[in-house]
Amino acid sequence: MNEIEFIEDQIYGLRKQLKTHKLYAHLKTLDDVKVFAENHVFAVWDFMSLLKALQRDLTCVEIPWMPSENTVTARFINEIVHGEETDLNENGVAKSHFEMYLDSMNQMGASTKEISRFIDGIQNGKSVNEALKKMDLPQGVKDFVLFSFKIIETKKTHLIASAFTFGREDLIPDIFLQILKGSMGTHNNYSSFVYYLERHIELDGDEHGPLSLKMIQELCEENAIKWEETLSVAKESLQMRINLWDSICESIKENKLNCQAVLN
């Protein structure tokens, strides 16, 4: 068993918890999907900071330019950036996946108020922590974003790569497939949302996921300490996703209760 196989064996239980999470059973109506999107959009946003941290570390984004130490990982990261920052939406228009997600929220009538306020705060000079404090969000959502930036702030490339790979790229096909298994997949009011999910399943399952595992291998090589730290962050990343799913699930149930109270 090599190091990657060992990590995947160690995180199998956490991945299974995510694949069978109770959240998916609650995504049955348009209102449910709206609540999900209004919270999940923050994870869509912070993914780009993980990716950009890797681009900063593994490619050259400075002037004067210098060649990268590892052109294989540099090419991989640049390909991911190209796909995430300038992919084509279902109409063939170039947009970032974050913008595509916002478009899907607007299509289904979900509120973008909180994510817009958050982005405005960042653009006006607030730290991520300061901006999040002003948000009316479940603590699980805030904790998820703060964890991503805690990893970024370590400035350890293999840790950032671990959160990126095991908490995102290698995981997304599994959990997005579970979301699509519900009745929501045929609803015209969120066709853009379904396209977003299907696009990520295609990219991450066929291309990005396998390549990200190779990136981990090249970053850790024969360094036992790096492999141990990589496993630790992989576990923590998955637990943070479970906590996020728990939090969103509670928000959906709370929204249902509020709607019933209004009707009564």
Side-chain angles (χ1 to χ4, degrees), residues 68-119:
S68 300
E69 292 184 8
N70 190 319
T71 53
V72 174
T73 54
R75 179 180 175 85
F76 162 62
I77 290 301
N78 283 332
E79 285 179 352
I80 296 282
V81 171
H82 171 73
E84 291 288 339
E85 227 171 9
T86 55
D87 200 7
L88 299 178
N89 68 8
E90 68 268 39
N91 298 314
V93 178
K95 288 194 174 186
S96 70
H97 283 181
F98 176 70
E99 291 171 303
M100 288 163 59
Y101 201 93
L102 292 180
D103 287 346
S104 75
M105 291 176 69
N106 288 325
Q107 182 193 46
M108 72 174 78
S111 173
T112 58
K113 177 183 176 182
E114 291 301 309
I115 187 63
S116 296
R117 284 209 308 140
F118 175 70
I119 297 297

Coordinates of all heavy atoms in Angstrom, one line a residue, residues 68-119:
S68 N 9.2 27.5 -13.1 CA 8.8 26.7 -12.0 C 9.7 25.5 -11.7 O 10.2 25.0 -12.7 CB 7.3 26.2 -12.2 OG 6.4 27.3 -12.4
E69 N 9.8 25.1 -10.5 CA 10.6 24.0 -10.1 C 10.0 22.7 -10.7 O 10.7 21.8 -11.0 CB 10.7 23.9 -8.6 CG 11.6 25.0 -8.0 CD 11.7 24.8 -6.5 OE1 11.4 23.7 -6.0 OE2 12.3 25.7 -5.8
N70 N 8.7 22.6 -10.7 CA 8.0 21.4 -11.2 C 7.0 21.8 -12.2 O 5.9 22.3 -11.9 CB 7.4 20.7 -10.0 CG 6.9 19.3 -10.4 OD1 6.3 19.1 -11.5 ND2 7.1 18.3 -9.6
T71 N 7.3 21.6 -13.5 CA 6.4 22.1 -14.5 C 5.1 21.2 -14.6 O 4.1 21.6 -15.2 CB 7.1 22.1 -15.9 OG1 7.7 20.8 -16.1 CG2 8.1 23.2 -15.9
V72 N 5.2 20.0 -14.1 CA 4.0 19.1 -14.1 C 3.0 19.6 -13.2 O 1.8 19.8 -13.6 CB 4.4 17.7 -13.7 CG1 3.2 16.8 -13.6 CG2 5.4 17.1 -14.7
T73 N 3.3 19.9 -12.0 CA 2.3 20.5 -11.0 C 1.9 21.9 -11.5 O 0.8 22.3 -11.3 CB 2.9 20.5 -9.6 OG1 4.1 21.2 -9.6 CG2 3.0 19.1 -9.1
A74 N 2.8 22.7 -12.0 CA 2.5 24.0 -12.5 C 1.5 24.0 -13.6 O 0.5 24.7 -13.6 CB 3.8 24.7 -13.0
R75 N 1.6 23.0 -14.5 CA 0.6 22.9 -15.6 C -0.7 22.4 -15.0 O -1.8 23.0 -15.5 CB 1.1 21.8 -16.6 CG 0.1 21.6 -17.8 CD 0.7 20.5 -18.7 NE -0.3 20.2 -19.7 CZ -0.5 20.9 -20.9 NH1 0.3 22.0 -21.1 NH2 -1.4 20.6 -21.7
F76 N -0.7 21.5 -14.1 CA -1.9 21.1 -13.5 C -2.7 22.2 -12.8 O -3.9 22.4 -13.1 CB -1.6 20.0 -12.5 CG -2.8 19.7 -11.5 CD1 -4.0 19.3 -11.9 CD2 -2.6 20.0 -10.1 CE1 -5.0 19.1 -11.0 CE2 -3.6 19.8 -9.2 CZ -4.8 19.3 -9.7
I77 N -2.0 23.0 -12.0 CA -2.6 24.1 -11.3 C -3.1 25.2 -12.3 O -4.3 25.7 -12.2 CB -1.6 24.8 -10.3 CG1 -1.4 23.8 -9.2 CG2 -2.2 26.1 -9.8 CD1 -2.7 23.4 -8.4
N78 N -2.4 25.5 -13.3 CA -2.8 26.4 -14.3 C -4.0 25.9 -15.1 O -4.9 26.7 -15.5 CB -1.7 26.8 -15.3 CG -0.7 27.7 -14.7 OD1 -1.0 28.5 -13.9 ND2 0.6 27.6 -15.2
E79 N -4.1 24.6 -15.3 CA -5.3 24.1 -16.0 C -6.5 24.2 -15.1 O -7.6 24.5 -15.6 CB -5.1 22.6 -16.3 CG -4.1 22.4 -17.5 CD -3.9 20.9 -17.8 OE1 -4.4 20.1 -17.0 OE2 -3.3 20.6 -18.9
I80 N -6.3 24.0 -13.8 CA -7.5 24.1 -12.9 C -7.9 25.6 -12.8 O -9.1 25.9 -12.8 CB -7.0 23.7 -11.4 CG1 -6.7 22.2 -11.4 CG2 -8.2 24.0 -10.4 CD1 -7.9 21.3 -11.4
V81 N -7.0 26.5 -12.7 CA -7.3 27.9 -12.7 C -8.1 28.3 -14.0 O -9.1 29.0 -13.9 CB -6.0 28.8 -12.5 CG1 -6.4 30.3 -12.7 CG2 -5.4 28.6 -11.2
H82 N -7.6 27.8 -15.1 CA -8.3 28.1 -16.4 C -9.7 27.6 -16.3 O -10.7 28.4 -16.7 CB -7.6 27.4 -17.5 CG -8.3 27.5 -18.8 ND1 -8.4 28.6 -19.6 CD2 -9.0 26.5 -19.5 CE1 -9.1 28.4 -20.7 NE2 -9.5 27.1 -20.6
G83 N -9.9 26.4 -15.8 CA -11.3 25.9 -15.7 C -12.2 26.5 -14.7 O -13.4 26.7 -14.9
E84 N -11.6 26.9 -13.6 CA -12.4 27.5 -12.5 C -12.7 28.9 -12.7 O -13.7 29.4 -12.3 CB -11.7 27.3 -11.1 CG -11.6 25.8 -10.7 CD -13.0 25.3 -10.2 OE1 -13.9 26.1 -9.9 OE2 -13.2 24.1 -10.2
E85 N -11.7 29.6 -13.3 CA -11.8 31.1 -13.4 C -12.5 31.5 -14.7 O -13.1 32.6 -14.8 CB -10.5 31.7 -13.3 CG -10.4 32.9 -12.3 CD -9.0 33.4 -12.1 OE1 -8.1 33.0 -12.7 OE2 -8.9 34.3 -11.2
T86 N -12.3 30.7 -15.7 CA -12.8 31.1 -17.1 C -13.5 29.9 -17.8 O -13.2 29.7 -19.0 CB -11.7 31.7 -17.9 OG1 -10.6 30.7 -18.0 CG2 -11.2 33.0 -17.3
D87 N -14.3 29.2 -17.1 CA -15.0 28.0 -17.8 C -16.1 28.6 -18.6 O -16.5 29.8 -18.6 CB -15.5 27.1 -16.7 CG -15.8 25.7 -17.3 OD1 -15.4 25.4 -18.5 OD2 -16.3 24.8 -16.6
L88 N -16.7 27.7 -19.4 CA -17.9 28.1 -20.2 C -19.2 27.6 -19.5 O -19.2 26.5 -19.2 CB -17.8 27.5 -21.6 CG -16.6 27.9 -22.5 CD1 -16.6 27.2 -23.8 CD2 -16.6 29.4 -22.7
N89 N -20.1 28.5 -19.4 CA -21.4 28.1 -18.8 C -22.2 27.3 -19.8 O -21.8 27.1 -20.9 CB -22.2 29.3 -18.2 CG -22.7 30.3 -19.3 OD1 -22.6 30.0 -20.5 ND2 -23.2 31.4 -18.8
E90 N -23.5 27.0 -19.4 CA -24.3 26.2 -20.3 C -24.7 26.9 -21.6 O -25.1 26.2 -22.6 CB -25.6 25.7 -19.6 CG -26.6 26.8 -19.3 CD -26.4 27.5 -17.9 OE1 -25.2 27.6 -17.5 OE2 -27.4 27.8 -17.3
N91 N -24.5 28.2 -21.7 CA -24.7 29.0 -22.9 C -23.5 29.3 -23.7 O -23.5 30.1 -24.6 CB -25.5 30.3 -22.5 CG -26.8 30.0 -21.9 OD1 -27.6 29.2 -22.3 ND2 -27.1 30.7 -20.8
G92 N -22.3 28.7 -23.2 CA -21.1 29.0 -23.9 C -20.4 30.3 -23.6 O -19.5 30.7 -24.3
V93 N -20.8 30.9 -22.5 CA -20.2 32.2 -22.1 C -19.2 32.0 -21.1 O -19.4 31.2 -20.1 CB -21.3 33.2 -21.5 CG1 -20.7 34.5 -21.0 CG2 -22.4 33.4 -22.6
A94 N -18.0 32.6 -21.2 CA -16.9 32.4 -20.3 C -17.2 33.1 -18.9 O -17.5 34.3 -18.9 CB -15.6 33.0 -20.9
K95 N -17.2 32.3 -17.9 CA -17.4 32.8 -16.5 C -16.7 31.9 -15.5 O -16.4 30.7 -15.8 CB -18.9 32.7 -16.2 CG -19.8 33.8 -16.9 CD -21.1 33.9 -16.3 CE -21.9 35.1 -16.9 NZ -23.2 35.4 -16.2
S96 N -16.4 32.5 -14.4 CA -15.8 31.7 -13.3 C -16.9 30.8 -12.7 O -18.1 31.1 -12.9 CB -15.3 32.6 -12.2 OG -16.3 33.2 -11.5
H97 N -16.5 29.7 -12.1 CA -17.5 28.8 -11.5 C -18.3 29.5 -10.4 O -19.5 29.2 -10.1 CB -16.9 27.5 -11.0 CG -16.5 26.6 -12.1 ND1 -15.9 25.4 -11.9 CD2 -16.7 26.7 -13.4 CE1 -15.8 24.7 -13.0 NE2 -16.2 25.5 -14.0
F98 N -17.6 30.4 -9.7 CA -18.3 31.2 -8.7 C -19.4 32.1 -9.3 O -20.5 32.1 -8.8 CB -17.3 32.1 -7.9 CG -17.9 33.0 -6.9 CD1 -18.5 32.5 -5.7 CD2 -18.0 34.4 -7.1 CE1 -19.1 33.3 -4.8 CE2 -18.6 35.2 -6.2 CZ -19.1 34.7 -5.0
E99 N -19.1 32.7 -10.4 CA -20.1 33.5 -11.1 C -21.3 32.6 -11.6 O -22.4 33.0 -11.6 CB -19.5 34.3 -12.2 CG -18.6 35.4 -11.8 CD -17.8 36.0 -13.0 OE1 -17.1 35.2 -13.7 OE2 -17.9 37.2 -13.2
M100 N -20.9 31.5 -12.1 CA -21.9 30.5 -12.6 C -22.8 30.1 -11.4 O -24.0 30.0 -11.6 CB -21.3 29.3 -13.2 CG -20.6 29.6 -14.5 SD -19.4 28.3 -15.1 CE -20.5 26.9 -15.1
Y101 N -22.2 29.9 -10.3 CA -23.0 29.6 -9.1 C -24.0 30.7 -8.7 O -25.2 30.4 -8.4 CB -22.1 29.2 -7.9 CG -22.8 28.4 -6.9 CD1 -22.6 27.0 -6.9 CD2 -23.5 28.9 -5.8 CE1 -23.2 26.2 -5.9 CE2 -24.1 28.1 -4.8 CZ -23.9 26.8 -4.9 OH -24.5 26.0 -3.9
L102 N -23.5 31.9 -8.7 CA -24.4 33.1 -8.5 C -25.5 33.1 -9.5 O -26.7 33.4 -9.1 CB -23.6 34.4 -8.4 CG -22.6 34.5 -7.3 CD1 -21.9 35.9 -7.5 CD2 -23.3 34.5 -5.9
D103 N -25.2 32.9 -10.7 CA -26.2 32.9 -11.8 C -27.3 31.9 -11.5 O -28.5 32.1 -11.7 CB -25.6 32.7 -13.2 CG -24.8 33.8 -13.7 OD1 -25.0 35.0 -13.1 OD2 -24.1 33.7 -14.6
S104 N -26.8 30.7 -11.0 CA -27.8 29.6 -10.8 C -28.7 30.0 -9.6 O -29.9 29.7 -9.5 CB -27.1 28.3 -10.5 OG -26.5 28.3 -9.2
M105 N -28.1 30.7 -8.6 CA -28.9 31.1 -7.5 C -29.9 32.2 -7.9 O -31.1 32.1 -7.4 CB -28.0 31.8 -6.4 CG -27.1 30.7 -5.7 SD -25.9 31.5 -4.5 CE -27.1 32.1 -3.2
N106 N -29.6 33.1 -8.8 CA -30.5 34.1 -9.3 C -31.6 33.4 -10.1 O -32.8 33.8 -10.0 CB -29.8 35.1 -10.1 CG -28.9 36.0 -9.3 OD1 -29.3 36.4 -8.2 ND2 -27.8 36.5 -9.9
Q107 N -31.3 32.4 -10.8 CA -32.3 31.6 -11.6 C -33.3 31.0 -10.7 O -34.5 31.0 -11.0 CB -31.6 30.6 -12.5 CG -32.6 29.8 -13.4 CD -32.0 28.6 -14.0 OE1 -31.3 27.8 -13.3 NE2 -32.2 28.4 -15.3
M108 N -32.9 30.4 -9.6 CA -33.8 29.7 -8.8 C -34.5 30.6 -7.7 O -35.4 30.2 -7.0 CB -33.1 28.5 -8.0 CG -32.2 29.0 -7.0 SD -31.5 27.6 -6.0 CE -30.2 27.0 -7.1
G109 N -34.1 31.9 -7.7 CA -34.7 32.8 -6.7 C -34.1 32.8 -5.3 O -34.7 33.2 -4.4
A110 N -32.8 32.2 -5.2 CA -32.2 32.2 -3.9 C -31.5 33.5 -3.7 O -31.2 34.3 -4.6 CB -31.1 31.1 -4.0
S111 N -31.4 33.9 -2.4 CA -30.8 35.2 -2.1 C -29.3 35.2 -2.2 O -28.6 34.3 -1.6 CB -31.3 35.5 -0.6 OG -30.6 36.7 -0.2
T112 N -28.8 36.2 -2.8 CA -27.3 36.4 -2.8 C -26.9 37.5 -1.9 O -25.8 38.0 -2.0 CB -26.8 36.7 -4.3 OG1 -27.5 37.8 -4.8 CG2 -27.1 35.5 -5.2
K113 N -27.8 38.0 -1.0 CA -27.5 39.1 -0.2 C -26.3 38.9 0.7 O -25.4 39.8 0.8 CB -28.8 39.4 0.7 CG -28.6 40.6 1.7 CD -29.8 40.7 2.5 CE -29.6 41.8 3.6 NZ -30.8 42.0 4.5
E114 N -26.2 37.8 1.4 CA -25.2 37.6 2.4 C -23.8 37.4 1.7 O -22.8 38.0 2.1 CB -25.5 36.4 3.2 CG -26.6 36.6 4.2 CD -26.4 37.7 5.1 OE1 -25.3 37.8 5.8 OE2 -27.2 38.6 5.2
I115 N -23.7 36.6 0.6 CA -22.5 36.5 -0.1 C -22.0 37.8 -0.7 O -20.8 38.1 -0.7 CB -22.5 35.3 -1.2 CG1 -21.1 35.1 -1.7 CG2 -23.5 35.7 -2.3 CD1 -20.1 34.5 -0.8
S116 N -23.0 38.6 -1.2 CA -22.6 39.9 -1.8 C -22.1 40.8 -0.7 O -21.1 41.6 -0.9 CB -23.8 40.5 -2.5 OG -24.2 39.7 -3.6
R117 N -22.7 40.8 0.5 CA -22.2 41.7 1.6 C -20.8 41.2 2.0 O -20.0 42.0 2.3 CB -23.2 41.6 2.8 CG -24.5 42.3 2.6 CD -25.0 42.8 4.0 NE -25.1 41.7 4.9 CZ -24.8 41.8 6.2 NH1 -24.3 42.9 6.7 NH2 -24.9 40.8 7.0
F118 N -20.6 39.9 2.0 CA -19.3 39.4 2.4 C -18.2 39.8 1.4 O -17.2 40.3 1.8 CB -19.4 37.9 2.4 CG -18.1 37.2 2.7 CD1 -17.5 37.3 4.0 CD2 -17.4 36.5 1.7 CE1 -16.3 36.6 4.2 CE2 -16.2 35.9 2.0 CZ -15.7 35.9 3.2
I119 N -18.5 39.7 0.1 CA -17.6 40.1 -0.9 C -17.3 41.6 -0.8 O -16.1 42.1 -0.9 CB -18.1 39.7 -2.3 CG1 -18.2 38.2 -2.5 CG2 -17.2 40.3 -3.4 CD1 -16.9 37.5 -2.4

